[in-house]
Amino acid sequence: MAEVATGTEVPPNVTIYINNLNEKIKLEELKKSLHAVFSQFGKILEVLAFKTLKHKGQAWVVFEDVSSASNALRQMQGFPFYDKPMRIQYAKTKSDVIAKADGTFVPRERRKRHEEKGRKKKEQHDANQPGIGLNPAYAGAYGATPPIPYPGGAKAMVPEAPAPPNSILFVQNLPHETTPMMLQMLFYQYPGFKEVRMVETKPGIAFVEYGDEIQSTAAMQALQGFKITQQNPMLITYAKK
């Protein structure tokens, strides 16, 4: 039996290969959505997807450890991602991130580091001039208080009086690039999911409806503090009716 498996089976490793992805989705949105959906299984080091025709409809997700990759493969196999069931297997080739970590990577880092330094210098320069090159959400950190409270910012993090449990969740502190589809894929995993509503004029917030308050509570407990990006832990409360 073991001999039959050799050569056909890819051994479990930290990188999963996904294909049958919806090719109409923009590359950046695809990568962010994959990160959002898969980060529940463990720390993600990298999400890779490319524009080239050869790589369309495919992506690679690199986890920090093999058990995370195995759980993701098992639980997300066939998951309807942008209306197409994902096909997932372990990647055959080692990711650059892992090759760097175990010393087998052929260095091409020097130029990158130089660019990184230049970028950081520019960011530092911008940081010292409030309002220049800054998202208004972060202006407060440099001493300039934005006149209008930012819907996803610090003020929204402290709800005045919590609403009683009900079937609709109020989600705050979302990154601006969040799309309804990203949230749908996150909340869809929990029983009773009905719909996601976002308000175009108020980025950073969303409403998610479930069949009843028991189902909404289960989803809230599972996703409370979930990070779509490293800077944005979700704050989930019951919606005020």
Side-chain angles (χ1 to χ4, degrees), residues 102-120:
D102 67 14
T104 58
F105 181 66
V106 180
R108 54 174 182 218
E109 281 287 273
R110 203 166 290 161
R111 180 170 55 83
K112 248 186 179 176
R113 249 187 252 128
H114 182 72
E115 287 169 9
E116 190 74 6
K117 220 181 237 177
R119 189 173 63 78
K120 280 188 177 161

Side-chain angles (χ1 to χ4, degrees), residues 29-54:
E29 184 181 338
L30 178 74
K31 284 163 83 170
K32 280 176 183 144
S33 298
L34 285 169
H35 195 286
V37 168
F38 280 99
S39 57
Q40 63 183 301
F41 298 104
K43 186 177 177 187
I44 291 174
L45 300 180
E46 190 171 35
V47 175
L48 298 165
F50 305 97
K51 281 182 181 173
T52 54
L53 201 62
K54 183 185 168 189

Side-chain angles (χ1 to χ4, degrees), residues 201-219:
T201 51
K202 293 184 178 178
I205 65 167
F207 296 91
V208 183
E209 187 173 351
Y210 280 86
D212 59 41
E213 65 188 59
I214 295 165
Q215 293 168 332
S216 66
T217 302

Side-chain angles (χ1 to χ4, degrees), residues 22-88:
N22 193 324
E23 294 176 15
K24 292 174 184 169
I25 308 306
K26 286 182 181 170
L27 196 66
E28 277 315 300
E29 184 181 338
L30 178 74
K31 284 163 83 170
K32 280 176 183 144
S33 298
L34 285 169
H35 195 286
V37 168
F38 280 99
S39 57
Q40 63 183 301
F41 298 104
K43 186 177 177 187
I44 291 174
L45 300 180
E46 190 171 35
V47 175
L48 298 165
F50 305 97
K51 281 182 181 173
T52 54
L53 201 62
K54 183 185 168 189
H55 294 110
K56 274 203 163 186
Q58 305 166 66
W60 290 259
V61 178
V62 189
F63 287 95
E64 194 170 47
D65 54 66
V66 177
S67 63
S68 299
S70 301
N71 282 337
L73 185 148
R74 198 169 56 248
Q75 292 187 46
M76 299 301 284
Q77 191 69 264
F79 182 82
F81 189 77
Y82 289 103
D83 302 322
K84 288 186 82 175
M86 288 197 262
R87 289 205 293 265
I88 311 172

Side-chain angles (χ1 to χ4, degrees), residues 143-157:
T145 310
I148 300 160
Y150 171 60
K155 288 196 178 181
M157 294 286 279

